[in-house]
Amino acid sequence: MDVFQIIGPVMIGPSSSHTAGAVRIGRVVHALLGVVPVRAALELHQSFARTCRGHGTDKALIAGLLGFSPDDQRIRDSLRLAAEQGLTWQFSEVDLKDAHPNSVRITAAGKEGEAVRLVACSIGGGRIQINEVDDLPVDFSGDYPTILLLHQDRLGLIAEITRILAGQQVNIANMQVFRSHRLGQVATFIEADQPIDAQVIKHISDLQGIDKAICLEPFRES
Amino acid sequence: MTKLDEYSLQNLADQASREGTPVWRQVILAQMNETGESETALRQKMAGRLRVMREAIEQGRSQPGRSHSGLSGGDALRHQQAARAGKLLGGTMQSTIVVYALAVAETNAQMGRIVAAPTAGAAGVIPAVLLAAAEQHGYSDDRLLEGLFTAAAVGAVIASRASLSGAEGGCQAECGSAAGMAAAALVEIAGGSPHQAIHACALAIKGHLGLVCDPVAGLVEVPCVKRNAFSAVQALTAADMALAGIESYIPPDEVLDAMRSIGRLMHPDLKETARGGLAATTTGRKAAEEMMREKLS
């Protein structure tokens, strides 16, 4: 038991799944892009779409895109703040078939041409699951320090990546490798027990065949 | 090495009695063992949560406006004004608890900052009970923090033995659990025994059995905001009964088992799906339609 998960978390209301979870999803997009986007299309599925306004899911998602944390009191003003920062966005409804009722697909672009597409869901209690990144299936929670890699399907590359981590005393808690036959691209994500140094990410991203290397730090309460 | 039983209220109380300490002391020791944090660090972290609870009360009770949906807002202020004008009947402790619970729940609905304790939907219950008691009886913040540790342990047992979520157990699991946690906490703050604390929990939960989760338009406003107030007052009643030496005839763990089995028997339309009860009334449906008509852009 973690006492502070029962008396906690500190969050912006009204709903841990429709508000706090939504902020965390937006934050993952922000982290994957590395910047506040200039454009974002947010497609909401089922339950997320239905109670969007009342639960402030729209404000929460945009707040996450701005890099806010789930307990940031600016969340209720996020739409105004986003417009001031030059972000334009579009919300719409979508049918994501068998996806979790609280799912959203976000396509975002940065000023310098950075782009990412993500499908994620908010599963309750503020927990989230990232289900797709750039159309590749993944499955991580954002609760651990997470390394997300998009790379070519090169023999030995995975071993080189894990060797770097072992050398830096980073223990791997979870690791999955998803290969898309269509594109020949691979999505690998690694959930680690230790925070990941920026140098480690740089080292990995310099390996031959790595297209994108991003580290997502889990949200820590302020 | 202190480890807590997270599955039995009786074992929680027995362990504390055996060690000759309140439940909260065992909780602090167990958390220190688990995370390596010092007692000072743990108290400071909990103090941060107490601070957010206070701020949520202040924000809510000075706020006359309605929420985005228009379904809630301004009632904490209204109740406070009536109490101050001498119009109410329940006495200061009751009106303070009601004002505080409404205030936090209204703050939650208006995207203010709250502490989910155990959930956002029931976030008004524990702050109302503890902070109203502090105001009336002069308990220090340190005492309140200790109560919050008691509440956490009780919440952990409820989570593993029954449920803390409306989708699984209806409002019995959210406001009911919060009331059980608040009652146990208040008993320990007031100097009651671990045995009395778990009976207070059982009594509070007994008063909530069968309570449905039927939120209008699927939001956390009607009847959620006001239920926080009702639950908080029940928690006070349960704590007082326990301090008076009144016990739950059904042992506390069995009360949790009953809550769990009732949750299973509850129709899905009454478990946070907004399809039954108040959500399905004519007015409730109308509110839901209006929310849906609001176009996404």
Side-chain angles (χ1 to χ4, degrees), chain A residues 1-17 19 44 49-60 71-73 75-76 89-93 221-222, chain B residues 4 6 27 31 34 42 45-46 49 52-53 59 68 108-118 120 148-149 151-153 155-156 181 217-220 291-292 294-297:
Chain A
M1 152 179 73
D2 181 5
V3 164
F4 298 107
Q5 281 308 303
I6 312 238
I7 307 295
V10 175
M11 53 172 269
I12 294 295
S15 159
S16 59
S17 48
T19 325
L44 299 162
R50 235 175 324 150
T51 52
C52 179
R53 286 292 169 77
H55 279 143
T57 305
D58 54 347
K59 293 180 182 168
D71 64 348
D72 194 321
Q73 286 173 309
I75 288 172
R76 73 211 289 194
W89 65 87
Q90 178 84 21
F91 279 101
S92 59
E93 278 188 54
E221 277 177 29
S222 39
Chain B
L4 282 182
E6 288 173 34
V27 180
Q31 185 86 3
E34 181 126 340
L42 293 177
K45 201 162 170 186
M46 199 56 101
R49 275 144 165 76
V52 174
M53 289 177 174
Q59 199 181 327
H68 178 94
N108 184 52
Q110 296 189 31
M111 302 196 82
R113 184 153 67 192
I114 52 98
V115 181
L148 288 174
F149 283 104
M181 292 161 66
L219 303 176
V220 195
M291 296 272 2
M292 297 251 265
E294 227 192 340
K295 289 220 175 304
L296 294 177
S297 62

Side-chain angles (χ1 to χ4, degrees), chain B residues 251-290:
Chain B
D253 288 323
E254 290 185 48
V255 173
L256 297 189
D257 293 340
M259 177 162 90
R260 179 188 166 128
S261 78
I262 291 172
R264 291 236 171 98
L265 290 168
M266 270 172 136
H267 195 284
D269 284 1
L270 296 171
K271 289 195 283 192
E272 208 176 354
T273 53
R275 291 199 295 258
L278 293 172
T281 58
T282 306
T283 303
R285 284 195 214 273
K286 191 155 147 253
E289 275 158 28
E290 274 166 24

Side-chain angles (χ1 to χ4, degrees), chain B residues 3-280:
Chain B
K3 210 172 137 44
L4 282 182
D5 189 316
E6 288 173 34
Y7 200 69
S8 160
L9 290 174
Q10 194 57 58
N11 288 352
L12 191 65
D14 288 345
Q15 179 178 334
S17 297
R18 240 185 350 258
E19 299 295 319
T21 77
V23 170
W24 62 256
R25 184 101 205 105
Q26 298 302 309
V27 180
I28 289 182
L29 290 172
Q31 185 86 3
M32 284 167 71
N33 267 330
E34 181 126 340
T35 64
E37 287 165 285
S38 70
E39 175 163 356
T40 311
L42 293 177
R43 281 176 179 265
Q44 252 169 16
K45 201 162 170 186
M46 199 56 101
R49 275 144 165 76
L50 187 61
R51 192 165 44 244
V52 174
M53 289 177 174
R54 275 207 167 94
E55 286 166 1
I57 290 173
E58 289 318 306
Q59 199 181 327
R61 68 168 166 172
S62 56
Q63 170 67 268
R66 300 295 274 179
S67 61
H68 178 94
S69 67
L71 290 178
S72 69
D75 285 334
L77 180 58
R78 184 169 289 121
H79 202 90
Q80 181 174 265
Q81 283 167 342
R84 286 181 181 169
K87 291 183 181 168
L88 304 181
L89 308 169
T92 314
M93 183 70 158
Q94 176 166 349
S95 60
T96 308
I97 286 184
V98 170
V99 170
Y100 287 6
L102 292 177
V104 174
E106 286 176 340
T107 298
N108 184 52
Q110 296 189 31
M111 302 196 82
R113 184 153 67 192
I114 52 98
V115 181
T119 61
V125 179
I126 290 174
V129 173
L130 266 48
L131 288 164
E135 183 162 306
Q136 289 299 113
H137 298 284
Y139 301 124
S140 68
D141 276 9
D142 269 331
R143 296 280 283 278
L144 298 184
L145 296 188
E146 287 154 12
L148 288 174
F149 283 104
T150 309
V154 168
V157 174
I158 298 174
S160 54
R161 202 161 180 127
S163 172
L164 294 176
S165 113
E168 283 186 308
C171 196
Q172 351 161 77
E174 293 208 24
C175 283
S177 299
M181 292 161 66
L186 186 55
V187 163
E188 290 220 314
I189 288 169
S193 68
H195 183 84
Q196 288 175 326
I198 64 169
H199 276 267
C201 173
L203 291 167
I205 288 179
K206 270 177 161 175
H208 282 84
L209 291 178
L211 189 60
V212 299
C213 179
D214 53 345
V216 168
L219 303 176
V220 195
E221 298 187 58
V222 174
C224 318
V225 167
K226 290 167 188 130
R227 275 197 186 137
N228 270 252
F230 296 130
S231 295
V233 175
Q234 264 197 307
L236 169 66
T237 307
D240 268 349
M241 282 185 180
L243 290 168
I246 297 170
E247 295 191 344
S248 168
Y249 186 88
I250 305 295
D253 288 323
E254 290 185 48
V255 173
L256 297 189
D257 293 340
M259 177 162 90
R260 179 188 166 128
S261 78
I262 291 172
R264 291 236 171 98
L265 290 168
M266 270 172 136
H267 195 284
D269 284 1
L270 296 171
K271 289 195 283 192
E272 208 176 354
T273 53
R275 291 199 295 258
L278 293 172

